[in-house]
Amino acid sequence: MPENHTMTDKLYWDNETLEANVQVLQCQPLADGRFGTILNATPFHPQGGGQPADQGLLGGLEVLGVELVAQEVVHYLPQALAVGPVFAQVQALPRQLHSRLHSAGHLIGHVMELQHWRPIKAQHWPADARVVFKPIEQAQPLDADAVQRLCDEQIALELPRHVHIDEQQFRQVGFGDFAPYGCGGTHVASTAQLQGLQVQSVQLKKGQLTVHYKVV
């Protein structure tokens, strides 16, 4: 449904604002009865990159979903909004949980790379958060307690988050001196906010190691 116009400014990329006055640029009816809405800027993170979409209100209407379609952020609403100014508000608690889960996945990736395991895919959903690794060289299997200790050490150091966005709109997120990962998701400001990270299990199957985790 996106038409040619300036790409939506992703406010969640470089700040943690949950509320913003924005502009509706398009609002079109869809075959499923919802209305696809495009804004000039948005605090809503779309579903993708292993992270669920933000929840909240747009112009007083419940946001039923948010997706990236043809590189454009589309918000799905139960009824139409007029083109023009509107207030956007993201629910704080789900965003906080999703940010902690995503950052915890990055941290697990960082500490496992130190043990010669390279992350190849990840999912940061509340009920099924996991990171999958392949061995780099001379990698030794680790149990859940060992991974937990490695993570706890970095959490105690309170490593700050760093975000870099280049001219091509490629975004990287890192913590402390760890090499950053390319990422479009939301994150906590410091590993100190990952207190409550729990490594639930570590499974080795067909040469791949999967770390399952949650945050409480």
Side-chain angles (χ1 to χ4, degrees), residues 37 80 95 103 123 144 146 205:
T37 306
R95 161 67 74 83
S103 294
Q123 177 167 292
K205 185 176 181 180

Side-chain angles (χ1 to χ4, degrees), residues 83-120:
V83 171
V86 70
F87 185 63
Q89 184 176 29
V90 174
Q91 286 187 18
L93 290 181
R95 161 67 74 83
Q96 181 185 58
L97 175 61
H98 299 160
S99 296
R100 293 181 71 220
L101 283 165
H102 204 146
S103 294
H106 275 222
L107 180 61
I108 291 168
H110 291 321
V111 302
M112 292 297 288
E113 285 196 276
L114 295 178
Q115 307 302 314
H116 307 290
W117 290 93
R118 178 171 58 86
I120 56 173

Side-chain angles (χ1 to χ4, degrees), residues 1-8 10 12 26 28 37-39 46-47 66-76:
M1 63 159 285
E3 298 176 357
N4 292 331
H5 60 79
T6 303
M7 188 176 295
T8 303
K10 301 177 179 68
Y12 56 87
Q26 297 180 36
Q28 301 178 2
T37 306
I38 295 177
L39 310 173
Q47 180 173 318
V66 190
E67 291 183 336
L68 200 62
V69 180
Q71 302 304 308
E72 189 57 271
V73 181
V74 180
H75 310 71
Y76 298 108

Side-chain angles (χ1 to χ4, degrees), residues 21-43:
N21 290 300
V22 297
Q23 296 281 329
V24 174
L25 301 180
Q26 297 180 36
C27 187
Q28 301 178 2
L30 304 175
D32 62 7
R34 299 181 299 173
F35 290 79
T37 306
I38 295 177
L39 310 173
N40 69 322
T42 184

